[in-house]
Amino acid sequence: MTKSLNGVGMDQDSPGKLKQEANWIRLSAMTMTHNAQLGHTGGDLSSADILAVLYFGGVLRVDPSQPNWPQRDRFVLSKGHCSGAFYSALAARGFFPPAQLKTHMEPLSMLNGHPDRNKLPGVEANTGPLGHGLPIAVGAALAARMRKESWRVFVLTGDGELQEGSNWEAAMTAQHYGLDNLTVIVDRNRIQQGDFTENTIRMEPLAARWSAFGFAVDEVDGHDSAGLLDRFSHLPIQPGKPSCIIANTVKGKGFSLAENQPAWHHGVPDDEQLAAAAVELGVEVGW
Amino acid sequence: MSATEVLQSGAGCTSQQLFDCRDAYIRVLEEMAADDPRVCAVANDSVSSAKLKGFRAKFPDRFVNVGIAEQNMVGVGAGLANGGMIPYVCAAACFLTARAMEQVKVDLAYSKSNVKLCGMSPGMAYGQLGSTHHSIEDLAWTRVLPDLAVVVPADPLETAAAMRYSRLHEGPMYLRISRMPVPRVHGDGYEFKLGKAVLLRQGSDVTLMATGVLVSRALQAAFALAARGISARVLNVSTIKPLDEEAILDAARATRGIVTAEEAFARGGLGGAVAELLVQKHPVPMRILGVPDSFPPTGSAEFLMEHLGLSAAGIENAALDLLKDKR
Ligand SMILES: Cc1ncc(C[n+]2csc(CCOP(=O)(O)OP(=O)(O)O)c2C)c(N)n1
Ligand SMILES: [Mg+2]
């Protein structure tokens, strides 16, 4: 399952196919984490369906054969610690050979623990410190507008990540300039590094906060491929406003042992757990 | 004796065993909190990496988790100090400094607030997580600020002693608390004095000045140099600011040159501080070991330290090079 549909305006994979692609991203990310003995399993797994729909549902207009095509849609992974899922999605989409995933975090590898846009095609921003993605995405959306171009900007943030004030500064900029070419997707898995978000710093009422900051907001099931596809295919939510999609997810989704377990934020699967995950996910890594 | 043999021999160090300095930091922080009701802690979600779970359990009403919000956490620290508490603001060094630098400058240094910053896992301890997670700029950023003391303990004994000292010191401090395994380089009963470098080994040919995890490596290098008939003095410069000018000038006068070594960018840190002093008061040949002027490649902490020559062999070679230069 590493085929890539190169080119713009790629076919839109069916929801069933998207689910399979997401599960491949999951197992690939877990394998990378297993190999490196380092990584962020929980957030890789919660974001896999979102990434699959963006990259294989015909949502992102990107061209792996010309990663710097000026008219491409920009996708910024603000929760840069989930590089395992992100790199897997990029490889599956054809930005680089999946075999390169074997080098994740190895000495002198291009696949750093957090994405580096000068090392890998398809990466728009060097993230890792939380709260950097949205300001960069806002700047990119402003650039598209200044240049009178039609490409769009998507940014995926964590939910704990939204405790960083920079997000809300950027949100104010986005609403002031009415950036309806900008979509924020929040991976609302309700867990951050140390605990559940609501036990750490309450994030609710999250949708109301985004609305109050001038975004058009919608909530979706972040594991329902069809629902995500439908939502991402009808943007902006409201003309003249930036969009915020709160994707309700389960941290660790797809590997039962890890589901909704704060300890699996950066849990590393051992041999047995990886084998169990492969069975549960019903896919083969193949690289 | 090969560089590896020297390394394994634990030459000059006071223990064979290796330690994570965070254990000493948290032991003392909890002891101080038990004795002094003004001691409190501020965390940013990363409660485990800052080893604060026990503190939170023992002193729940003197523990604040602000969430993932480092600018906020340093400002909150300043407010706690204003209210008469002694806050220990503990977070990964990379985010604590880089993200909150203006708060560190204005709310702490400029305001002379009595806040202790504990920068956890500094340097390249986060190895393959990459440059976003390395804290190798922090020495340059912090040491330029007036009134902010900057301390880089070399071993668990010094970590504990510096932590104890910090509670009694009135004013802001940045303590760089390493997780990289290090042997002991001090003896029991070691007392920390802010602004005093520690002479770990007498020597007359060259001086090795190191800080943090490089101190044990400098001792090992001195041991290897001795085998070649070269007498190397070793200074542990654990206080980067205020700098021990006297000890550095002494070494410059008594030996033929100085090698500095730090787990930080080679520009702006310990080497820069020593050079600024010596070039004005007593110029001598120097070699400055640190991370060169480019972001390090991907790799584990151990790999990167070797790759960048931040090892006993790297220090030894720099000393040989320096002595060769100066006829
Ligand atoms: C500025 C900053 N502070 C702290 C961290 C350490 N950190 C890495 S991941 C993480 C938790 C992120 O939680 P969330 O945003 O909810 O991500 P997810 O659940 O999707 O993994 C933290 C605190 C960081 N990367 N950046
Ligand atoms: Mg989360």
Side-chain angles (χ1 to χ4, degrees), chain A residues 137-212:
Chain A
V138 165
L142 284 166
R145 171 173 297 182
M146 288 173 190
R147 299 170 64 93
K148 302 188 171 44
E149 292 171 353
S150 61
W151 48 273
R152 303 160 307 159
V153 186
F154 294 79
V155 54
L156 178 62
T157 75
D159 49 0
E161 173 173 16
L162 297 178
Q163 291 157 2
E164 289 286 359
S166 52
N167 292 297
W168 303 101
E169 298 177 18
M172 285 189 275
T173 310
Q175 63 86 29
H176 184 81
Y177 286 94
L179 297 178
D180 61 5
N181 53 351
L182 171 73
T183 299
V184 181
I185 305 161
V186 180
D187 183 348
R188 182 70 171 120
N189 58 30
R190 300 187 157 263
I191 293 176
Q192 48 193 100
Q193 181 167 316
D195 204 341
F196 292 91
T197 55
E198 304 314 278
N199 294 344
T200 309
I201 289 291
R202 263 184 306 282
M203 298 310 293
E204 291 302 327
L206 189 57
R209 287 184 188 176
W210 282 103
S211 309

Coordinates of all heavy atoms in Angstrom, one line a residue, chain A residues 137-212:
Chain A
A137 N 0.9 29.7 9.2 CA -0.2 29.5 8.2 C -0.9 30.8 7.9 O -1.3 31.1 6.8 CB -1.1 28.5 8.8
V138 N -1.0 31.7 8.9 CA -1.7 33.0 8.7 C -0.9 33.8 7.7 O -1.4 34.4 6.8 CB -1.9 33.7 10.0 CG1 -2.2 35.2 9.8 CG2 -3.0 33.0 10.9
G139 N 0.4 33.8 7.9 CA 1.3 34.5 7.0 C 1.2 34.0 5.5 O 1.1 34.8 4.6
A140 N 1.1 32.6 5.4 CA 1.0 32.1 4.1 C -0.3 32.4 3.4 O -0.4 32.8 2.3 CB 1.2 30.5 4.2
A141 N -1.4 32.4 4.3 CA -2.7 32.8 3.7 C -2.7 34.3 3.3 O -3.3 34.6 2.3 CB -3.8 32.5 4.8
L142 N -2.0 35.1 4.0 CA -1.9 36.5 3.6 C -1.2 36.6 2.3 O -1.5 37.4 1.4 CB -1.2 37.3 4.7 CG -2.1 37.7 6.0 CD1 -1.2 38.2 7.1 CD2 -3.1 38.7 5.6
A143 N -0.1 35.8 2.2 CA 0.7 35.8 0.9 C -0.2 35.5 -0.3 O -0.1 36.1 -1.3 CB 1.9 34.9 1.0
A144 N -1.0 34.4 -0.1 CA -1.9 34.0 -1.2 C -2.8 35.2 -1.6 O -3.0 35.5 -2.8 CB -2.7 32.8 -0.8
R145 N -3.3 35.8 -0.6 CA -4.2 37.0 -0.9 C -3.4 38.1 -1.6 O -3.9 38.7 -2.5 CB -4.8 37.4 0.4 CG -5.6 38.7 0.2 CD -6.3 39.1 1.4 NE -7.4 38.2 1.7 CZ -8.2 38.3 2.7 NH1 -8.1 39.4 3.5 NH2 -9.1 37.4 3.0
M146 N -2.2 38.4 -1.1 CA -1.5 39.5 -1.7 C -1.2 39.3 -3.1 O -1.1 40.1 -4.0 CB -0.1 39.7 -0.9 CG -0.2 40.3 0.4 SD 1.4 40.3 1.2 CE 0.9 40.8 2.9
R147 N -0.9 38.0 -3.4 CA -0.6 37.6 -4.8 C -1.8 37.3 -5.6 O -1.6 36.9 -6.8 CB 0.4 36.4 -4.7 CG 1.7 36.7 -4.0 CD 2.5 35.4 -3.7 NE 2.9 34.8 -5.0 CZ 4.1 35.1 -5.6 NH1 4.9 35.9 -5.0 NH2 4.4 34.5 -6.7
K148 N -3.0 37.4 -5.0 CA -4.2 37.1 -5.7 C -4.2 35.7 -6.3 O -4.6 35.5 -7.5 CB -4.5 38.1 -6.8 CG -4.5 39.6 -6.3 CD -5.0 40.5 -7.4 CE -5.3 41.9 -6.8 NZ -4.3 42.5 -5.9
E149 N -3.8 34.7 -5.5 CA -3.7 33.3 -5.9 C -4.7 32.5 -5.1 O -5.1 32.9 -4.0 CB -2.3 32.8 -5.7 CG -1.3 33.5 -6.7 CD 0.2 33.2 -6.5 OE1 0.5 32.5 -5.5 OE2 1.0 33.6 -7.3
S150 N -5.1 31.4 -5.7 CA -6.2 30.7 -5.1 C -5.9 29.5 -4.2 O -6.7 28.8 -3.8 CB -7.1 30.2 -6.3 OG -6.3 29.3 -7.0
W151 N -4.6 29.3 -4.0 CA -4.2 28.2 -3.1 C -4.6 28.5 -1.7 O -4.8 29.6 -1.3 CB -2.7 27.8 -3.2 CG -1.7 29.0 -3.1 CD1 -1.3 29.7 -4.1 CD2 -1.1 29.4 -1.9 NE1 -0.4 30.7 -3.7 CE2 -0.3 30.5 -2.3 CE3 -1.1 29.1 -0.6 CZ2 0.5 31.2 -1.4 CZ3 -0.3 29.8 0.3 CH2 0.5 30.9 -0.1
R152 N -4.8 27.4 -0.9 CA -5.3 27.5 0.4 C -4.3 27.0 1.5 O -3.3 26.3 1.1 CB -6.6 26.7 0.5 CG -7.6 27.1 -0.5 CD -8.7 26.0 -0.7 NE -8.1 24.7 -1.0 CZ -8.7 23.6 -0.9 NH1 -10.0 23.6 -0.4 NH2 -8.2 22.4 -1.2
V153 N -4.5 27.3 2.7 CA -3.6 26.9 3.8 C -4.4 26.1 4.8 O -5.4 26.5 5.3 CB -3.0 28.1 4.4 CG1 -1.9 27.7 5.4 CG2 -2.4 29.0 3.4
F154 N -3.8 24.9 5.2 CA -4.3 24.1 6.2 C -3.3 23.9 7.3 O -2.1 23.8 7.0 CB -4.6 22.7 5.6 CG -5.7 22.7 4.6 CD1 -5.5 23.1 3.3 CD2 -7.0 22.3 5.0 CE1 -6.5 23.1 2.4 CE2 -8.1 22.3 4.0 CZ -7.8 22.7 2.7
V155 N -3.7 23.9 8.5 CA -2.8 23.7 9.6 C -3.4 22.8 10.6 O -4.6 22.9 10.9 CB -2.4 25.1 10.3 CG1 -3.6 25.9 10.7 CG2 -1.4 24.9 11.5
L156 N -2.6 21.8 11.0 CA -3.1 20.8 12.0 C -2.5 21.1 13.4 O -1.2 21.0 13.5 CB -2.8 19.4 11.6 CG -3.2 18.2 12.5 CD1 -4.7 18.2 12.8 CD2 -2.7 16.9 12.0
T157 N -3.3 21.4 14.4 CA -2.7 21.6 15.7 C -3.2 20.6 16.7 O -4.2 19.9 16.5 CB -3.2 23.0 16.3 OG1 -4.5 22.9 16.7 CG2 -3.1 24.1 15.3
G158 N -2.4 20.4 17.8 CA -2.9 19.6 18.9 C -3.9 20.4 19.7 O -4.2 21.6 19.4
D159 N -4.5 19.8 20.7 CA -5.4 20.5 21.5 C -4.7 21.1 22.7 O -4.9 22.3 23.0 CB -6.7 19.7 21.9 CG -6.3 18.3 22.5 OD1 -5.1 18.0 22.6 OD2 -7.3 17.6 22.9
G160 N -3.8 20.4 23.3 CA -2.9 20.9 24.4 C -2.1 22.1 23.8 O -1.9 23.1 24.5
E161 N -1.7 21.9 22.6 CA -0.9 23.0 22.0 C -1.6 24.3 22.0 O -0.9 25.4 22.0 CB -0.7 22.6 20.5 CG -0.1 23.6 19.7 CD 0.3 23.2 18.3 OE1 -0.1 22.2 17.8 OE2 1.1 24.0 17.7
L162 N -3.0 24.3 22.0 CA -3.7 25.6 22.0 C -3.5 26.4 23.3 O -4.0 27.5 23.4 CB -5.2 25.4 21.7 CG -5.4 24.7 20.3 CD1 -6.9 24.5 20.1 CD2 -4.8 25.6 19.2
Q163 N -2.8 25.8 24.2 CA -2.6 26.6 25.5 C -1.5 27.6 25.2 O -1.3 28.6 26.0 CB -2.1 25.6 26.6 CG -3.3 24.8 27.1 CD -2.9 23.5 27.7 OE1 -1.7 23.2 27.9 NE2 -3.9 22.7 28.1
E164 N -0.7 27.5 24.1 CA 0.3 28.5 23.7 C -0.5 29.7 23.2 O -1.3 29.7 22.3 CB 1.2 28.0 22.6 CG 2.2 26.9 23.1 CD 3.3 27.4 24.0 OE1 3.4 28.7 24.2 OE2 4.1 26.6 24.4
G165 N -0.1 30.9 23.8 CA -0.8 32.1 23.4 C -0.6 32.5 22.0 O -1.5 33.2 21.4
S166 N 0.5 32.1 21.4 CA 0.7 32.5 20.0 C -0.4 32.1 19.1 O -0.7 32.8 18.1 CB 2.0 31.8 19.5 OG 2.0 30.4 19.7
N167 N -1.1 31.0 19.4 CA -2.2 30.6 18.6 C -3.3 31.6 18.5 O -3.9 31.9 17.5 CB -2.8 29.3 19.1 CG -1.8 28.1 18.9 OD1 -1.5 27.8 17.8 ND2 -1.4 27.6 20.0
W168 N -3.5 32.2 19.7 CA -4.7 33.1 19.8 C -4.3 34.5 19.2 O -5.2 35.2 18.7 CB -5.2 33.2 21.3 CG -5.5 31.8 21.7 CD1 -4.8 30.9 22.4 CD2 -6.7 31.0 21.3 NE1 -5.4 29.7 22.5 CE2 -6.6 29.7 21.8 CE3 -7.8 31.4 20.5 CZ2 -7.6 28.8 21.6 CZ3 -8.8 30.4 20.3 CH2 -8.6 29.1 20.9
E169 N -3.0 34.8 19.3 CA -2.6 36.0 18.6 C -2.8 35.9 17.1 O -3.3 36.8 16.4 CB -1.1 36.3 18.9 CG -0.8 36.5 20.4 CD 0.7 36.7 20.7 OE1 1.5 37.0 19.8 OE2 1.0 36.6 21.9
A170 N -2.4 34.7 16.6 CA -2.6 34.4 15.2 C -4.0 34.4 14.8 O -4.4 34.8 13.7 CB -1.9 33.1 14.8
A171 N -4.9 33.8 15.7 CA -6.3 33.7 15.4 C -6.9 35.1 15.2 O -7.7 35.4 14.3 CB -7.0 33.0 16.5
M172 N -6.4 36.0 16.0 CA -6.9 37.4 15.9 C -6.5 38.0 14.6 O -7.3 38.8 14.0 CB -6.5 38.3 17.1 CG -7.2 38.0 18.4 SD -6.9 39.1 19.7 CE -5.4 38.4 20.4
T173 N -5.3 37.8 14.2 CA -4.9 38.3 12.9 C -5.7 37.7 11.7 O -6.2 38.4 10.9 CB -3.4 37.9 12.6 OG1 -2.6 38.2 13.7 CG2 -2.8 38.6 11.4
A174 N -6.0 36.4 11.8 CA -6.7 35.7 10.8 C -8.2 36.3 10.7 O -8.7 36.5 9.6 CB -6.8 34.2 11.1
Q175 N -8.8 36.5 11.8 CA -10.2 37.0 11.8 C -10.2 38.5 11.3 O -11.0 38.9 10.5 CB -10.9 36.8 13.1 CG -10.4 37.5 14.3 CD -10.9 39.0 14.5 OE1 -12.0 39.3 14.0 NE2 -10.1 39.8 15.1
H176 N -9.2 39.2 11.7 CA -9.1 40.6 11.3 C -9.0 40.8 9.8 O -9.7 41.6 9.2 CB -8.0 41.4 12.0 CG -7.9 42.8 11.7 ND1 -8.7 43.7 12.4 CD2 -7.3 43.5 10.7 CE1 -8.5 44.9 11.9 NE2 -7.7 44.9 10.9
Y177 N -8.2 39.9 9.2 CA -8.0 39.9 7.8 C -9.0 39.1 7.0 O -8.9 38.9 5.8 CB -6.6 39.6 7.4 CG -5.6 40.7 7.7 CD1 -5.0 40.8 9.0 CD2 -5.5 41.8 6.9 CE1 -4.1 41.8 9.3 CE2 -4.6 42.9 7.2 CZ -4.0 42.9 8.4 OH -3.2 43.9 8.7
G178 N -9.9 38.4 7.8 CA -11.0 37.6 7.1 C -10.4 36.5 6.2 O -10.8 36.4 5.1
L179 N -9.4 35.8 6.7 CA -8.7 34.8 5.9 C -9.5 33.6 5.7 O -9.3 32.6 6.4 CB -7.3 34.5 6.5 CG -6.4 35.7 6.7 CD1 -5.1 35.3 7.4 CD2 -6.1 36.3 5.3
D180 N -10.4 33.6 4.7 CA -11.2 32.4 4.5 C -10.5 31.4 3.6 O -11.1 30.3 3.3 CB -12.6 32.7 3.9 CG -12.6 33.5 2.6 OD1 -11.5 33.6 2.0 OD2 -13.7 33.9 2.1
N181 N -9.2 31.7 3.3 CA -8.4 30.6 2.6 C -7.6 29.8 3.6 O -6.7 29.1 3.3 CB -7.5 31.3 1.6 CG -6.6 32.4 2.2 OD1 -6.8 32.8 3.3 ND2 -5.7 32.9 1.4
L182 N -7.9 30.0 4.9 CA -7.2 29.4 6.0 C -8.1 28.4 6.8 O -9.2 28.8 7.2 CB -6.6 30.4 7.0 CG -6.0 29.9 8.3 CD1 -4.7 29.2 8.0 CD2 -5.8 31.0 9.3
T183 N -7.6 27.2 7.0 CA -8.4 26.2 7.8 C -7.5 25.7 8.9 O -6.5 25.1 8.6 CB -8.9 25.1 6.9 OG1 -9.8 25.6 5.9 CG2 -9.7 24.1 7.8
V184 N -8.0 25.8 10.1 CA -7.3 25.2 11.3 C -8.0 23.9 11.6 O -9.2 23.9 11.7 CB -7.4 26.1 12.5 CG1 -6.7 25.5 13.7 CG2 -6.8 27.5 12.2
I185 N -7.3 22.8 11.7 CA -7.8 21.6 12.1 C -7.3 21.3 13.5 O -6.0 21.2 13.7 CB -7.5 20.4 11.1 CG1 -7.9 20.8 9.7 CG2 -8.1 19.1 11.6 CD1 -7.2 20.0 8.6
V186 N -8.1 21.1 14.5 CA -7.6 20.8 15.8 C -7.8 19.3 16.1 O -8.9 18.8 16.0 CB -8.4 21.6 16.9 CG1 -7.9 21.2 18.3 CG2 -8.3 23.1 16.6
D187 N -6.7 18.6 16.4 CA -6.8 17.2 16.7 C -7.2 17.1 18.2 O -6.4 17.2 19.1 CB -5.4 16.6 16.5 CG -5.4 15.1 16.8 OD1 -6.4 14.6 17.4 OD2 -4.4 14.4 16.5
R188 N -8.5 17.1 18.4 CA -9.1 17.2 19.8 C -9.1 15.8 20.4 O -10.2 15.2 20.5 CB -10.5 17.8 19.7 CG -11.2 18.0 21.1 CD -10.5 19.1 21.8 NE -11.2 19.5 23.1 CZ -10.7 19.4 24.3 NH1 -9.4 18.9 24.4 NH2 -11.4 19.8 25.3
N189 N -7.9 15.3 20.8 CA -7.9 14.0 21.5 C -8.0 14.1 23.0 O -7.9 13.1 23.7 CB -6.6 13.2 21.0 CG -5.4 14.0 21.3 OD1 -5.3 14.8 22.3 ND2 -4.3 13.8 20.5
R190 N -8.1 15.3 23.5 CA -8.3 15.5 24.9 C -7.2 15.1 25.8 O -7.3 15.1 27.1 CB -9.6 14.8 25.4 CG -10.8 15.4 24.6 CD -12.1 14.8 25.1 NE -13.1 15.8 24.7 CZ -13.6 16.8 25.5 NH1 -13.2 16.9 26.7 NH2 -14.5 17.6 25.0
I191 N -6.0 14.8 25.3 CA -4.9 14.5 26.1 C -3.7 15.3 25.6 O -3.5 15.5 24.4 CB -4.6 13.0 26.0 CG1 -5.7 12.1 26.6 CG2 -3.2 12.6 26.6 CD1 -5.6 10.6 26.4
Q192 N -2.9 15.8 26.6 CA -1.6 16.4 26.2 C -0.5 15.5 26.7 O -0.6 14.3 26.7 CB -1.6 17.9 26.7 CG -2.0 18.1 28.2 CD -2.2 19.6 28.4 OE1 -3.4 20.0 28.4 NE2 -1.1 20.3 28.7
Q193 N 0.7 16.1 27.1 CA 1.8 15.2 27.4 C 1.6 14.5 28.7 O 1.8 13.3 28.8 CB 3.1 16.0 27.5 CG 4.3 15.2 27.8 CD 5.6 15.9 27.5 OE1 5.8 16.6 26.5 NE2 6.5 15.8 28.5
G194 N 1.2 15.3 29.8 CA 1.2 14.7 31.1 C -0.1 14.2 31.6 O -0.2 13.4 32.5
D195 N -1.2 14.6 30.9 CA -2.5 14.3 31.5 C -3.6 14.6 30.4 O -3.3 15.1 29.4 CB -2.8 15.1 32.8 CG -3.8 14.5 33.7 OD1 -4.6 13.6 33.3 OD2 -3.8 14.8 34.9
F196 N -4.9 14.4 30.8 CA -6.0 14.9 30.0 C -5.9 16.5 30.0 O -5.6 17.1 31.0 CB -7.3 14.4 30.6 CG -7.5 12.9 30.4 CD1 -7.0 12.1 31.4 CD2 -8.0 12.4 29.3 CE1 -7.1 10.7 31.3 CE2 -8.1 11.0 29.1 CZ -7.7 10.1 30.1
T197 N -6.4 17.0 28.9 CA -6.3 18.5 28.8 C -7.2 19.1 29.9 O -6.8 20.1 30.5 CB -6.8 19.0 27.4 OG1 -8.1 18.5 27.2 CG2 -5.9 18.6 26.3
E198 N -8.4 18.5 30.1 CA -9.3 19.2 31.1 C -8.8 19.1 32.5 O -9.2 19.8 33.4 CB -10.7 18.6 30.9 CG -11.3 18.8 29.5 CD -11.1 20.1 28.9 OE1 -11.9 21.1 29.1 OE2 -10.2 20.3 28.0
N199 N -7.8 18.1 32.8 CA -7.2 18.1 34.1 C -6.0 19.0 34.2 O -5.5 19.2 35.3 CB -6.7 16.7 34.4 CG -7.8 15.7 34.5 OD1 -9.0 16.1 34.7 ND2 -7.5 14.4 34.5
T200 N -5.5 19.5 33.1 CA -4.3 20.3 33.1 C -4.7 21.8 33.0 O -4.6 22.5 34.0 CB -3.4 19.9 31.9 OG1 -3.3 18.5 31.9 CG2 -2.1 20.6 32.0
I201 N -5.1 22.2 31.9 CA -5.7 23.5 31.7 C -6.9 23.3 30.8 O -6.8 22.9 29.7 CB -4.6 24.4 31.0 CG1 -3.5 24.8 31.9 CG2 -5.3 25.7 30.5 CD1 -3.8 25.7 33.1
R202 N -8.1 23.7 31.4 CA -9.3 23.4 30.7 C -9.3 24.1 29.3 O -9.0 25.3 29.2 CB -10.5 24.0 31.5 CG -11.2 23.0 32.4 CD -12.4 23.7 33.0 NE -12.0 24.9 33.8 CZ -11.4 24.9 35.0 NH1 -11.1 23.8 35.6 NH2 -11.1 26.1 35.6
M203 N -9.8 23.4 28.3 CA -9.8 23.9 26.9 C -11.3 24.2 26.5 O -11.5 24.8 25.5 CB -9.2 22.9 25.9 CG -7.7 22.7 26.2 SD -6.7 24.2 26.4 CE -6.8 24.9 24.8
E204 N -12.2 23.6 27.3 CA -13.6 23.9 26.9 C -14.1 25.2 27.5 O -13.6 25.6 28.5 CB -14.5 22.7 27.5 CG -14.3 21.4 26.8 CD -14.6 21.5 25.3 OE1 -15.5 22.3 24.9 OE2 -13.9 20.8 24.5
P205 N -15.0 25.9 26.9 CA -15.7 25.5 25.6 C -14.9 25.9 24.4 O -14.8 27.1 24.0 CB -17.0 26.3 25.7 CG -16.6 27.6 26.5 CD -15.4 27.2 27.4
L206 N -14.2 24.9 23.8 CA -13.3 25.2 22.7 C -13.9 25.7 21.5 O -13.4 26.7 20.9 CB -12.5 23.9 22.4 CG -11.3 24.0 21.5 CD1 -10.3 25.0 22.1 CD2 -10.6 22.7 21.3
A207 N -15.0 25.2 21.1 CA -15.7 25.7 19.8 C -16.1 27.1 20.0 O -15.9 28.0 19.2 CB -16.9 24.8 19.5
A208 N -16.6 27.4 21.2 CA -17.1 28.8 21.5 C -15.9 29.7 21.5 O -16.1 30.9 21.1 CB -17.8 28.8 22.8
R209 N -14.8 29.3 22.0 CA -13.6 30.2 22.0 C -13.2 30.5 20.5 O -12.9 31.7 20.2 CB -12.4 29.5 22.7 CG -12.6 29.4 24.2 CD -11.4 28.8 24.8 NE -11.6 28.6 26.3 CZ -10.8 28.1 27.1 NH1 -9.6 27.6 26.7 NH2 -11.1 27.9 28.4
W210 N -13.2 29.5 19.7 CA -12.8 29.8 18.3 C -13.8 30.7 17.6 O -13.4 31.7 16.9 CB -12.7 28.5 17.5 CG -11.4 27.8 17.7 CD1 -11.2 26.7 18.5 CD2 -10.1 28.2 17.2 NE1 -9.8 26.3 18.5 CE2 -9.1 27.2 17.7 CE3 -9.6 29.2 16.4 CZ2 -7.8 27.2 17.4 CZ3 -8.2 29.2 16.1 CH2 -7.3 28.2 16.6
S211 N -15.1 30.5 17.9 CA -16.1 31.4 17.4 C -15.9 32.8 17.9 O -16.0 33.8 17.1 CB -17.6 31.0 17.8 OG -17.8 29.7 17.5
A212 N -15.6 32.9 19.2 CA -15.5 34.2 19.8 C -14.3 34.9 19.1 O -14.2 36.2 19.0 CB -15.3 34.1 21.3

